[in-house]
Amino acid sequence: MSTTPTFQDVFGSRPEVYARAPGRVNLLGEHTDYNDGFVLPCAIPQSTRVAMRRNGGGATRVHAAAYGRTVEFAPGTDAAEDEGNPFALYVSGTLIEAAQEGLQVPALDIFVVSDVPIGVGLSSSAALEVAVLRALRELLEAQEQLDDVRIAQVAQRAEVEHAGVRCGIMDQMASSLADTRSALFLDTRTLRRQLVALPEGSSVLVMDSGVARSLATSGYNQRRAECEAAAAALGVPALRDVEYLSAVEQLADETLRKRARHVVSENQRVLSAAAGCDAAGFGTLMNASHASLRDDYEVSVPEVDRLVDLLQRQPAVWGARMTGAGWGGAVVALCHQDAAEDVARAVLREYAAGGGKGRALVPELAQDANSGG
Ligand code: GLA
């Protein structure tokens, strides 16, 4: 018998609407979105599910199954920070931003269940924001005000204004518009986008390095400021506007030069991949992306480098790299089709032998295989 409570157990009656939204893994185009550049994420099978109803009272209540805790706040206000239910702050921020769109957001009961891994760079927060907005769209019949792109924009504002991360729009666009069978090629300046098929004969493998991303928020905001400084020094609105790497070499400051070199070369890699390449070509671009993130952007950590290296050595792997903001968390590889589970098992064994505590996230493995034993 399951002991996980349901919406009805917590709130006493049934919800009016249900919605869900997936996490995402970024295949190429890291730290390019806040530089107005190009990205290539796809959705992962794990998702966040939201059940919602109007409660007719004076407070919104958010229950997160993973934490077993309900948090209350007045509509139109931020939830207090609560370690017992960190989801509530994202939900309240999302609802405030939805109200900014002109929606009349009443007091709600909201129940959240998620299997998107938290804190590894697979956008659990974007999945939560997008799932809440999808549920709200249905509840308020707001299809016209909230199309899928608008949902991503509102969700991004929730993250920037209420969670304190000056993120770009990749994660929210991926959660709102991508699927697991193709990659979403997105120009983050114009939001022009296209679904592109994964290279023939390939499949995506995602693994967690087991290293917590402790410096992620401060480091992320610092990288963003460095990119803005580099763009200003080069006299362009954003690093997206630098087409040739030779222009970057004019920057006198070495740190800014390295950051800009990553962003400009990473945009070129996304454009090459989106123009169409085979699995081997795509893998080569992923390997180059990792080297650039490690050496020029300096957002990798030794354990992640080691996991990526182990993956790159596998004969059935076309390419591998860190994914997400960095400072630990997940890595992604492009494998020969149907080889992902075998690759994951082999790499987990080697990683564990060196002291690493990894796990496969996509595809998920049975518990014993995931321990690396
Ligand atoms: C985080 C941010 C995204 C993006 C990536 C790095 O996931 O939320 O907007 O900047 O980092 O590519």
Side-chain angles (χ1 to χ4, degrees), residues 4-7 10-11 15 17-21 47-53 60-71 73 85-92 94-95 109-116 118 124-125 127-133 135:
T4 311
T6 62
F7 185 101
V10 174
F11 296 120
V17 294
Y18 299 90
R20 69 160 70 206
S47 64
T48 297
R49 283 170 287 149
V50 165
M52 184 184 278
R53 70 160 183 195
T60 287
R61 302 184 289 187
V62 176
H63 184 89
Y67 300 98
R69 187 171 161 89
T70 308
V71 169
F73 49 89
N85 179 354
F87 284 6
L89 190 60
Y90 290 93
V91 175
S92 60
T94 301
L95 297 175
D109 286 339
I110 300 174
F111 189 87
V112 184
V113 186
S114 181
D115 63 354
V116 182
I118 295 175
S124 56
S125 58
L128 174 59
E129 293 147 4
V130 171
V132 166
L133 288 165

Side-chain angles (χ1 to χ4, degrees), residues 338-370:
D338 305 326
E341 288 196 12
D342 290 341
V343 166
R345 282 195 194 90
V347 166
L348 280 173
R349 268 196 302 273
E350 290 181 65
Y351 191 58
K357 288 195 171 45
R359 62 188 166 136
L361 300 173
V362 180
E364 286 177 300
L365 302 179
Q367 204 62 41
D368 54 338
N370 242 345

Side-chain angles (χ1 to χ4, degrees), residues 24 26 29-34 123 167-171 220 324-325:
R24 67 95 187 94
N26 191 18
E30 216 65 83
H31 291 280
T32 48
D33 63 351
Y34 53 84
S123 297
C167 66
I169 198 157
M170 167 172 68
D171 304 346
Y220 184 90

Side-chain angles (χ1 to χ4, degrees), residues 60 73 77 102 151 179 186 195 197 237 248 261 333:
T60 287
F73 49 89
T77 65
I151 278 190
D179 61 57
L186 172 69
L195 288 175
V248 166
R261 197 187 294 139

